[in-house]
Amino acid sequence: MTFRFTTAGESHGRGLVGILEGIPAGLPISAADVDIELKRRQGGYGRGARMKIESDHIEWLSGVRAGETLGSPIAMLIWNRDWDHWQDVMAPEADATPDPQGRRRQVTRPRPGHADLAGSLKYDRADARDILERASARETVARVACGAVCKKLLREFSVEIGSHVAELGGVTANVGAQHAAPLPAHINDVADQSPVRCLDKEAEAEIIRRIDAAKAAGDTLGGIVEVIALGVPVGLGSHVSWDSKLDGRLAQALMSIPAVKGVELGLGFEAARRKGSEVHDEIMPGFARATNRAGGTEGGMSTGEPLVVRVAMKPISTLMSPLKTVDLKTGGPAQAQSERSDVTAVPAMGVIAEAMLAIVLTEALLEKFGGDALSELKRNVDGYLAQVRARTPRGAAS
Ligand code: EPS
């Protein structure tokens, strides 16, 4: 069964749907496993009023019975509570008595940086709401739901994924995979205690000050999140074809998160500034590495070292002190639309990036090991790990 993942839904529509295909039968799962992740995504200092309205949780539509997956497509539904306020604006059926003034809550002043303008021209829409409703980062709630199921599967193989905010609003945390101080063993246990998911208390205080200042100025802030997967076995992905390379697949998946503009693995761009002797991770007895500057992939395959990915998010493009734009209706100069929005969503983006990482790793795991049932998948993984162990130099196996 080919692994597939998709989402449907608009920001102020009835709800969001996430669909996963190819998850083997027999994986224990409950709505609570998914809802925990949805709650984590809703948090973070700097979010707007919408998060006070929503209280995200899933309803299973298919693919799960008596607390276990069936091997059939898994569909999850998350209702939008805000729909109550948007039913007329977002109604699917044509209005029998249309308002002569035109549609309510139209958006005709596209926001620089948002999908509004390119989408309105491409899809030939007079109202940019037809674009922004789907371009909205609300869609990521369905990604996180699918990612939660994938995380549950990966945990069966001792793969743990966590993240923390490495930079926000120009403030850099003095903690991370490339810093001397060790990261906590369970990153999320610590990061989730911080209102901005930052592991450096001093940086956290300054980040909060900057979020408050940006809010007062009607501005927004971006930042960088570091996502780490521990316990990934050697050999996921492949060097043989461009589209089977794990690093390329991770970059695509993470770059697809709204407002993400950059993805780095390990040293990333910094590797380009160093000599080879200061970049590559020497191979020690037992195939261990003294360093992990590569960030867990070589030749498009996982190395067995922690997977370390940094994801950069631009500031949100809805500004309360708006930028210049052009009105789609009049063609004349205007101020971009300001709608209720967040000052920053970088802490939430970390949770979304964890989900996308989990989805890519699950796809790569299932592609390599196959299996219709979890028991079969486990046998296949165990057989492979025994084969790898047999190749590990004697007396030095980790
Ligand atoms: C978003 C704008 C805000 C955010 C939203 C993403 O929503 P609203 O326009 O309803 O105030 O809160 O994010 C979410 C709803 C969410 O669940 O993350 C945008 O324009 O991208």
Side-chain angles (χ1 to χ4, degrees):
M1 164 62 76
T2 316
F3 177 86
R4 291 199 292 182
F5 143 70
T6 195
T7 73
E10 277 78 39
S11 180
H12 304 100
R14 190 73 194 85
L16 280 302
V17 174
I19 300 182
L20 271 176
E21 249 183 290
I23 298 292
L27 174 70
I29 189 101
S30 72
D33 294 324
V34 180
D35 289 351
I36 284 173
E37 295 292 327
L38 300 190
K39 196 167 171 38
R40 292 181 63 231
R41 193 201 70 94
Q42 283 204 268
Y45 194 80
R47 294 283 248 159
R50 177 75 185 273
M51 286 304 101
K52 294 192 179 73
I53 298 170
E54 304 297 341
S55 169
D56 295 332
H57 69 93
I58 60 138
E59 286 179 24
W60 300 113
L61 294 182
S62 69
V64 175
R65 179 166 178 248
E68 284 191 354
T69 55
L70 297 173
S72 55
I74 298 171
M76 289 167 281
L77 169 70
I78 303 105
W79 296 113
N80 283 327
R81 284 194 173 182
D82 210 13
W83 163 253
D84 292 348
H85 311 119
W86 287 80
Q87 289 191 41
D88 51 347
V89 178
M90 293 300 293
E93 299 297 329
D95 197 340
T97 52
D99 190 329
Q101 305 296 316
R103 289 206 242 162
R104 284 189 53 229
R105 302 202 67 160
Q106 278 191 44
V107 175
T108 62
R109 292 173 284 124
R111 290 159 292 177
H114 213 281
D116 301 349
L117 179 58
S120 297
L121 297 176
K122 175 177 163 66
Y123 287 86
D124 197 18
R125 303 280 85 198
D127 179 1
R129 181 162 300 287
D130 289 353
I131 304 302
L132 70 90
E133 283 290 335
R134 179 65 183 159
S136 162
R138 176 74 186 149
E139 178 261 349
T140 60
V141 68
R143 299 193 195 203
V144 171
C146 291
V149 177
C150 292
K151 273 188 173 182
K152 194 82 204 285
L153 180 74
L154 292 170
R155 241 174 251 136
E156 295 283 336
F157 301 91
S158 304
V159 178
E160 273 299 330
I161 300 176
S163 71
H164 65 100
V165 168
E167 204 174 312
L168 206 164
V171 182
T172 307
N174 199 21
V175 185
Q178 303 300 339
H179 288 74
L183 282 164
H186 299 283
I187 296 171
N188 285 345
D189 287 355
V190 185
D192 287 348
Q193 301 304 313
S194 160
V196 286
R197 307 201 67 255
C198 181
L199 300 173
D200 175 342
K201 282 284 155 206
E202 244 173 76
E204 173 190 291
E206 182 55 24
I207 287 169
I208 289 172
R209 273 193 289 277
R210 294 213 186 170
I211 293 173
D212 290 341
K215 185 173 184 176
D219 221 325
T220 56
L221 298 175
I224 298 173
V225 155
E226 188 169 72
V227 198
I228 299 174
L230 300 174
V232 179
V234 63
L236 297 190
S238 174
H239 64 293
V240 298
S241 303
W242 71 269
D243 54 354
S244 56
K245 288 174 180 269
L246 188 66
D247 44 3
R249 293 155 70 174
L250 286 170
Q252 199 278 326
L254 293 163
M255 193 73 108
S256 77
I257 299 170
V260 166
K261 291 290 121 192
V263 178
E264 293 183 315
L265 262 102
L267 284 183
F269 276 43
E270 170 61 20
R273 298 183 198 110
R274 295 192 186 183
K275 292 188 216 100
S277 56
E278 295 162 355
V279 169
H280 302 297
D281 305 306
E282 288 186 303
I283 303 169
M284 321 290 282
F287 298 151
R289 306 294 178 112
T291 51
N292 181 27
R293 299 171 186 136
T297 71
E298 282 174 339
M301 291 169 278
S302 56
T303 59
E305 296 295 311
L307 206 60
V308 182
V309 195
R310 286 163 63 87
V311 187
M313 184 185 205
K314 69 179 179 180
I316 283 166
S317 48
T318 309
L319 304 183
M320 293 307 144
S321 303
L323 298 174
K324 287 185 196 132
T325 191
V326 169
D327 195 309
L328 292 174
K329 242 183 336 201
T330 65
Q335 300 259 288
Q337 200 103 358
S338 353
E339 294 218 332
R340 171 192 73 187
S341 194
D342 309 316
V343 176
T344 188
V346 174
M349 188 271 283
V351 180
I352 301 157
E354 288 175 31
M356 294 309 289
L357 187 59
I359 289 165
V360 172
L361 289 180
T362 297
E363 182 184 44
L365 186 89
L366 293 171
E367 158 194 293
K368 177 152 174 57
F369 300 108
D372 295 309
L374 182 62
S375 52
E376 187 183 2
L377 178 61
K378 280 192 170 168
R379 275 200 306 280
N380 296 346
V381 172
D382 287 346
Y384 168 75
L385 291 179
Q387 172 195 310
V388 170
R389 267 197 304 276
R391 295 278 314 269
T392 306
R394 207 188 291 267
S398 50

